[in-house]
């Protein structure tokens, strides 16, 4: 049987290419709202980050999320994303481990 092609995406912070399912998607919706999209299906412009808090902090420092989303991300949105990122990190890692086991 033919092997399926695994879609790859690049982390905007560390520039590492990884399978799409191993990255967290940050999306800017058409209503100019910036949020975390774990499903990967929300409409809008997306940017991908590794599941590490260090990558999120690097993206904040370098403003790489601003460039990837082509939108200025305000400091209060970064603060909200930081809280969401930490709360989502455990859930994301659990999903990642379950997909590796299969």
């Amino acid at each position: 049987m033919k092997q399926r092609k695994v879609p790859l995406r690049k982390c905007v912070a560390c520039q590492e290419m990884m399978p799409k399912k191993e990255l967290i998607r940050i999306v800017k919706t058409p209503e100019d709202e910036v949020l975390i999209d774990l499903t990967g299906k929300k409409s809008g412009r997306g940017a991908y980050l590794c599941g590490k808090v260090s990558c999120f902090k690097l993206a904040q420092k370098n403003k790489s999320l601003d460039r990837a989303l082509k939108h200025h991300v305000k400091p209060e949105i970064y603060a909200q994303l930081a809280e969401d990122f930490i709360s989502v990190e455990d859930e994301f890692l659990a999903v990642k481990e379950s997909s590796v086991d299969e």
Side-chain angles (χ1 to χ4, degrees):
M1 195 161 150
K2 188 176 179 184
Q3 192 73 22
R4 292 196 78 163
K5 183 178 175 187
V6 178
L8 296 175
R9 298 291 183 267
K10 187 184 283 190
C11 173
V12 296
C14 66
Q15 304 296 313
E16 188 177 330
M17 292 291 285
M18 301 174 87
K20 187 176 173 183
K21 290 188 177 196
E22 292 182 18
L23 297 169
I24 295 175
R25 183 173 186 245
I26 311 292
V27 65
K28 181 188 83 82
T29 63
E31 295 81 35
D32 286 339
E33 190 178 16
V34 179
L35 42 96
I36 293 177
D37 176 22
L38 284 180
T39 63
K41 297 184 189 288
K42 290 185 180 169
S43 66
R45 184 158 186 88
Y48 292 88
L49 284 172
C50 298
K52 299 178 244 165
V53 177
S54 60
C55 270
F56 176 76
K57 290 180 180 175
L58 182 64
Q60 183 177 4
K61 179 182 167 194
N62 295 341
K63 300 212 180 290
S64 53
L65 267 181
D66 295 33
R67 283 191 303 277
L69 297 175
K70 295 184 179 177
H71 178 75
H72 174 67
V73 181
K74 297 180 179 118
E76 51 271 11
I77 294 174
Y78 271 119
Q80 181 63 42
L81 280 175
E83 290 176 25
D84 293 347
F85 201 84
I86 291 168
S87 64
V88 162
E89 187 177 23
D90 294 331
E91 180 184 338
F92 174 72
L93 291 175
V95 169
K96 185 176 168 182
E97 287 174 7
S98 68
S99 68
V100 169
D101 292 340
E102 294 174 357

